[in-house]
């Protein structure tokens, strides 16, 4: 009787072992197939796939993405970067990798999202969210989850202006007496931003450092955010470095049938020449300039002064005069709002 029991137990144990091994093989195969399919999907396809298989009802998921945060990672450990110019939002989460993301997929709203690109390295998972326009990210936390929503700036701000500092990076613009136009443009733009913000205007900059930004990207940002105004700051020059030409020139979009671009340019001319103490050169058509003719919002390209004129160059590189130029443009934008030339 004992022998039969031992024999029976051995058979059962062998069967269970084979069953478990078979189940593991099937599970591993199905997991491998799932992972292979996962790897072939774009980030947006993954989002939609997991949304379809999501059983829970969560109101937040109708307007937000939900990203799982690893255990032990605090809010302060998560790094976020908003790149308004290139319409992208990047989240860097420590202690996470692609395997973690596979087990804890991103779910939620795909509204306004063109794609989601993930990349792991150094025990950090980078999640890059590409958007179809300029949006303001809104982040909140709940339990093990991070929720990210994207708001139209016009829902948050009454007035929006895009400031473009000309040139940058490998495009220095005019070079005179060792000074780069790109640097002067940027200094004036950086002084202009806080002056406008002090008036309750949300300012988006096409660049805030010495980097190259393409023309299409610059004007594309102004159009994407549906700005009330697009101001591009430049310095003028002639081929003769000892030129006596001086003064301010402002270019407008003569394709703007409302006339608002012309009116804005006139106000910029008035503001800069008064504050910067420069001669009025001309307000003229900028149809030959890519960012001017392609702007769908009122635009003024302000050539503050001539770098090829030594006296004017001395003013352009002076911090006080840069502030005065920024004051003049600030006054122009303020008057444009008051007169209804641009609309908040």
């Amino acid at each position: 009787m004992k022998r039969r029991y031992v024999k029976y137990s051995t058979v059962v144990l062998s069967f269970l072992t084979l069953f478990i091994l078979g189940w593991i093989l099937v599970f591993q195969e199905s997991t491998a197939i799932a992972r292979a399919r996962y790897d072939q999907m774009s980030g947006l396809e993954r989002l939609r796939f997991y949304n379809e298989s999501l059983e829970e009802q969560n109101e937040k998921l109708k307007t937000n993405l939900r990203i799982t945060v690893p255990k032990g990672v605090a809010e302060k450990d998560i790094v976020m970067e908003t790149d308004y110019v290139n319409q992208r939002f990047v989240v860097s989460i420590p202690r996470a990798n692609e395997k973690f993301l596979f087990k804890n997929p991103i779910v939620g709203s795909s509204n306004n999202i063109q794609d989601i690109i993930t990349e792991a390295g150094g025990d950090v998972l980078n999640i890059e969210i590409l958007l179809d326009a300029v949006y303001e990210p809104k982040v909140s936390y709940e339990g093990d989850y991070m929720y990210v929503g994207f708001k139209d700036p016009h829902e948050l701000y009454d007035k929006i202006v895009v400031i473009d500092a000309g040139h940058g990076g490998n495009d220095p613009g005019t070079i005179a007496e060792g000074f780069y136009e790109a640097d002067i443009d940027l200094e004036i733009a950086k002084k202009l931003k806080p002056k406008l913000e002090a008036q309750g205007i949300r300012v988006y900059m096409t660049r805030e450092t010495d980097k190259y930004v393409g023309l299409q990207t610059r004007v594309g940002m102004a159009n994407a955010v549906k700005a009330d105004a697009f101001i591009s700051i430049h310095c003028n020059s002639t081929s003769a470095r000892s030129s006596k030409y001086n003064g301010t020139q402002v270019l407008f979009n003569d394709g703007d049938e409302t006339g608002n671009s012309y009116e804005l340019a006139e106000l910029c001319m008035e503001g800069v020449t008064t504050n910067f103490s420069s001669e009025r050169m001309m307000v003229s058509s900028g149809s030959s300039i890519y960012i001017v003719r392609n702007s769908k919002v009122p635009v003024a390209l302000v050539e503050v002064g001539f770098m090829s004129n030594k006296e004017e160059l001395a003013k352009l590189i002076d911090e006080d005069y840069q502030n005065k130029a920024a004051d003049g443009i600030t006054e122009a934008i303020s008057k444009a709002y008051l007169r209804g030339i641009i609309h908040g």
Side-chain angles (χ1 to χ4, degrees):
M1 187 73 178
K2 189 173 181 181
R3 263 184 221 170
R4 288 183 183 176
Y5 176 76
V6 171
K7 187 176 181 180
Y8 176 75
S9 298
T10 302
V11 171
V12 171
L13 184 59
S14 298
F15 175 79
L16 287 173
T17 301
L18 290 171
F19 175 79
I20 292 170
L21 287 172
W23 182 84
I24 290 173
L25 289 172
V26 170
F27 175 76
Q28 287 178 335
E29 184 179 5
S30 62
T31 302
I33 292 171
R35 184 56 196 256
R37 181 180 179 185
Y38 174 90
D39 290 339
Q40 292 302 311
M41 286 191 261
S42 70
L44 196 56
E45 287 173 333
R46 293 173 189 171
L47 178 66
R48 289 168 179 164
F49 172 78
Y50 287 109
N51 281 343
E52 289 174 2
S53 59
L54 196 64
E55 295 181 358
E56 65 177 289
Q57 298 296 318
N58 187 329
E59 285 297 313
K60 273 194 170 185
L61 297 182
K62 293 181 179 179
T63 54
N64 295 270
L65 286 178
R66 188 178 73 187
I67 301 170
T68 304
V69 178
K71 298 289 185 183
V73 174
E75 293 179 28
K76 63 180 179 62
D77 300 324
I78 299 173
V79 178
M80 289 171 281
E81 175 196 356
T82 305
D83 181 355
Y84 296 108
V85 176
N86 296 299
Q87 300 166 22
R88 54 194 280 274
F89 179 70
V90 182
V91 183
S92 297
I93 304 176
R95 302 186 195 175
N97 51 31
E98 286 286 357
K99 185 177 180 180
F100 174 84
L101 188 62
F102 178 65
K103 292 182 178 179
N104 302 276
I106 300 170
V107 294
S109 173
S110 62
N111 294 341
N112 311 319
I113 297 175
Q114 289 189 319
D115 203 357
I116 300 174
I117 301 171
T118 59
E119 182 180 13
D123 200 32
V124 174
L125 177 66
N126 294 309
I127 302 171
E128 180 181 7
I129 302 166
L130 305 179
L131 303 165
D132 59 14
V134 177
Y135 296 100
E136 292 282 355
K138 292 298 173 183
V139 178
S140 61
Y141 296 87
E142 189 175 296
D144 295 331
Y145 299 124
M146 172 185 184
Y147 290 90
V148 183
F150 299 97
K151 290 281 189 181
D152 184 327
H154 293 276
E155 294 180 35
L156 305 172
Y157 308 105
D158 293 328
K159 300 175 180 179
I160 298 173
V161 170
V162 171
I163 302 299
D164 173 46
H167 306 282
N170 59 10
D171 174 20
T174 296
I175 303 173
E177 306 293 333
F179 295 99
Y180 290 10
E181 179 191 350
D183 295 337
I184 298 172
D185 297 344
L186 182 59
E187 286 304 313
I188 295 173
K190 287 166 69 175
K191 289 173 173 60
L192 175 59
K193 182 181 179 182
K195 295 177 187 294
L196 293 176
E197 289 176 336
Q199 297 192 5
I201 299 171
R202 176 64 168 109
V203 177
Y204 292 98
M205 302 270 285
T206 59
R207 70 180 182 97
E208 296 189 69
T209 60
D210 182 28
K211 68 176 182 180
Y212 175 80
V213 180
L215 297 176
Q216 186 175 2
T217 301
R218 294 171 190 261
V219 68
M221 181 182 185
N223 293 337
V225 79
K226 298 180 178 64
D228 301 323
F230 178 35
I231 306 294
S232 186
I233 299 170
H234 288 257
C235 295
N236 224 329
S237 179
T238 63
S239 57
R241 290 292 176 253
S242 60
S243 171
K244 293 183 179 179
Y245 276 104
N246 71 300
T248 298
Q249 179 183 12
V250 185
L251 305 177
F252 69 96
N253 182 5
D254 58 6
D256 180 359
E257 296 179 357
T258 67
N260 289 337
S261 181
Y262 172 76
E263 294 293 334
L264 177 62
E266 280 286 357
L267 288 174
C268 286
M269 173 66 83
E270 176 189 329
V272 173
T273 53
T274 300
N275 286 270
F276 189 70
S277 302
S278 64
E279 295 293 327
R280 177 190 174 103
M281 191 177 182
M282 67 179 75
V283 172
S284 55
S285 167
S287 59
S288 64
I289 308 298
Y290 182 90
I291 63 171
V292 175
R293 71 172 178 270
N294 285 287
S295 178
K296 297 178 182 178
V297 304
V299 56
L301 189 153
V302 184
E303 300 271 13
V304 179
F306 278 80
M307 291 181 67
S308 51
N309 181 291
K310 288 187 177 181
E311 288 75 19
E312 201 144 68
L313 175 61
K315 292 167 63 175
L316 288 167
I317 62 176
D318 183 84
E319 187 172 352
D320 288 339
Y321 272 100
Q322 291 171 356
N323 264 309
K324 289 176 181 179
D327 285 335
I329 298 172
T330 300
E331 288 178 13
I333 292 173
S334 179
K335 288 179 181 178
Y337 274 117
L338 286 173
R339 297 178 188 180
I341 295 169
I342 58 177
H343 308 280

